[in-house]
Amino acid sequence: MTAQPEIETDQLASVRADAARLHFHPRGTVRCIGTPLFRNQAARDLGCLLDVDPTVVEWSCLPLVLNRQGDSHVPDFLVVREEGTSIVDAVSQSSRLEPWIEDAAAEAGYRYEAQSTVIAGHRLANSMDLLRYASWQCPLGDRVRVLAALDEHGSPTVAECLTAFHETVPIAGLSSLVLRRFVEIDLDETRIGPETAVRRIRS
């Protein structure tokens, strides 16, 4: 099952048009299917976290309308994970969602999640740093050199890996490899720095 939005209703088209007029940074995404559309900063922040969540296959924005007895709600995301597909709303500590929304999502065949972007650690800041380079593609030669270095040395630091890039901007190339899950780094403990360890991901 993929995160393809349903055919637009008038209400869905209106919500999407309103969101299309808003712009939040970073602008790039990696696993978003369709146009990235965010109604507020909380939704954009959650989109950043979805892109670096290893359980997420893909996601789409403002995917459908949930209805119940005259009430309606357009959730922020449809998120596909290996274990299933969920409807997800970005919520702040002051957000209050109507209890019928979860039931309406279940009737539509989806699990429902209300996720806060207020999390401990540095994951959000690190994901935003990485997504500045979302549009970059690491050239094959650089990718092979970095992966070979990881096979030989285990878990070198970011600073040590940068010397393996000959064909592209080193930090952009490394960010691309992280975002596309060739390598991984710890996003929670501290901000990404020269001493951050880099590890190869093996499928």
Side-chain angles (χ1 to χ4, degrees), residues 12 15 39 60-66 73-78 87-90 101 112:
L12 194 58
V15 170
R39 289 178 288 199
S60 61
C61 302
L62 306 177
L64 48 80
V65 181
L66 298 174
H73 173 67
V74 178
D76 289 310
F77 304 109
L78 191 67
I87 286 174
V88 180
D89 273 313
I101 294 174
Y112 179 75

Side-chain angles (χ1 to χ4, degrees), residues 7-19 37 62 65 74:
I7 297 173
E8 287 194 3
T9 63
D10 289 343
Q11 180 183 0
L12 194 58
S14 176
V15 170
R16 287 175 173 165
D18 288 342
L37 297 169
L62 306 177
V65 181
V74 178

Side-chain angles (χ1 to χ4, degrees), residues 27-48:
R27 302 294 288 272
T29 63
V30 177
R31 289 178 178 79
C32 179
I33 303 301
T35 304
L37 297 169
F38 309 103
R39 289 178 288 199
N40 49 51
Q41 187 64 55
R44 180 62 193 107
D45 290 350
L46 183 53
C48 293

Side-chain angles (χ1 to χ4, degrees), residues 38-59:
F38 309 103
R39 289 178 288 199
N40 49 51
Q41 187 64 55
R44 180 62 193 107
D45 290 350
L46 183 53
C48 293
L49 296 175
L50 293 174
D51 263 340
V52 298
D53 184 337
T55 70
V56 171
V57 176
E58 61 186 47
W59 51 279

